[in-house]
Amino acid sequence: MASTQDYVYGELRRRLMAGAYVPGERLREEPIAAEFSVSRTPVRAAIDRLESDGLVKREGRRGALVLGWHERDINEVFELRLLLEPFAAESAALHASAEQIDELERINNQMLAAVQANAEDRAAQVQHYNNLFHHALLNAGQSARVRAMVEGLLDMPIIIGSFYFYSTEDMLRSVEQHREIIAAVRAGDPRCTHAAVRFHLASTFLLFRQQRRPMA
């Protein structure tokens, strides 16, 4: 049952992030269960997880209401990340300890292992390690002020599931971009680190925008 729940959750999350359901639309268990040829139990559990993610809100027997993430909201979050994270990464290049850089390497290796394992919940695992990586990079800058400004952007519900869009090649490309960021931080080069992080985020934003096109 867990694998069925994971499948339903992953597909519903992908559709939500792709804009297949508009803000205010209701997700009802019975028609979704019929579409996926499953019972309502895994659908109910999947919707519960989406509510925990902040993507839907339950309204009793009326189903779950899709929350309002519009294109402007999404673009704004990405643009703010493009402005602030490269600056935060410059600070990491100047102030990160050897232990913090090794931690970045360790997390990225775990992300690679999750990609290669190809488990049923691979997208969730890869997303988890990716999020850890970006938080660790932020922490390595050793600036409480910058961290307070940026870390909320890393955990925005509509952004944090982007790996549900990714192919294996996309995931491996992200791991390699992380390696380039780590190399720049280890070299203590803020300009190179800034460029590597900005390129990485811009690539993510491009893929996200491509997947947000209307679905067939």
Side-chain angles (χ1 to χ4, degrees):
M1 184 61 68
S3 61
T4 301
Q5 179 197 132
D6 286 340
Y7 169 72
V8 174
Y9 166 78
E11 179 60 20
L12 291 178
R13 202 187 208 293
R14 186 184 68 82
R15 292 182 185 185
L16 282 163
M17 295 177 63
Y21 303 122
V22 298
E25 186 173 347
R26 296 190 185 280
L27 299 183
R28 300 183 185 277
E29 293 175 11
E30 189 170 349
I32 293 173
E35 178 185 355
F36 288 104
S37 300
V38 299
S39 71
R40 294 175 63 175
T41 301
V43 175
R44 186 178 303 116
I47 291 176
D48 286 342
R49 290 169 66 180
L50 292 171
E51 184 176 30
S52 297
D53 291 342
L55 294 172
V56 304
K57 180 181 180 181
R58 278 198 178 276
E59 292 196 335
R61 295 184 178 180
R62 299 178 64 194
L65 193 70
V66 176
L67 296 181
W69 284 92
H70 298 279
E71 297 305 311
R72 179 176 177 180
D73 302 317
I74 295 167
N75 292 340
E76 187 175 76
V77 171
F78 271 112
E79 292 294 346
L80 285 170
R81 288 188 67 180
L82 282 165
L83 285 171
L84 296 174
E85 280 192 67
F87 173 79
E90 288 184 31
S91 185
L94 295 171
H95 302 294
S97 67
E99 291 77 13
Q100 287 173 319
I101 298 172
D102 289 342
E103 176 71 358
L104 289 169
E105 191 87 53
R106 183 185 68 80
I107 293 169
N108 200 44
N109 286 338
Q110 289 176 313
M111 182 173 165
L112 175 60
V115 174
Q116 294 174 330
N118 199 22
E120 290 180 346
D121 62 344
R122 178 173 71 166
Q125 290 188 37
V126 173
Q127 182 67 58
H128 169 71
Y129 290 119
N130 179 74
N131 187 256
L132 284 181
F133 179 89
H134 284 271
H135 275 286
L137 182 63
L138 188 59
N139 290 336
Q142 301 188 29
S143 171
R145 184 178 297 106
V146 173
R147 184 168 61 249
M149 294 175 66
V150 178
E151 62 184 355
L153 297 172
L154 301 180
D155 298 326
M156 289 289 182
I158 197 68
I159 304 300
I160 204 168
S162 59
F163 279 89
Y164 285 91
F165 289 149
Y166 279 41
S167 66
T168 299
E169 292 73 19
D170 293 327
M171 292 179 181
L172 292 174
R173 190 176 300 114
S174 186
V175 169
E176 184 57 36
Q177 289 168 359
H178 285 177
R179 285 178 179 153
E180 292 170 357
I181 293 168
I182 295 167
V185 172
R186 199 180 292 279
D189 188 330
R191 178 179 290 181
C192 186
T193 304
H194 181 111
V197 170
R198 185 170 179 82
F199 178 80
H200 175 54
L201 295 176
S203 298
T204 302
F205 192 15
L206 176 62
L207 181 60
F208 197 99
R209 291 202 314 269
Q210 290 172 338
Q211 297 295 331
R212 287 283 294 183
R213 293 171 182 168
M215 296 175 64

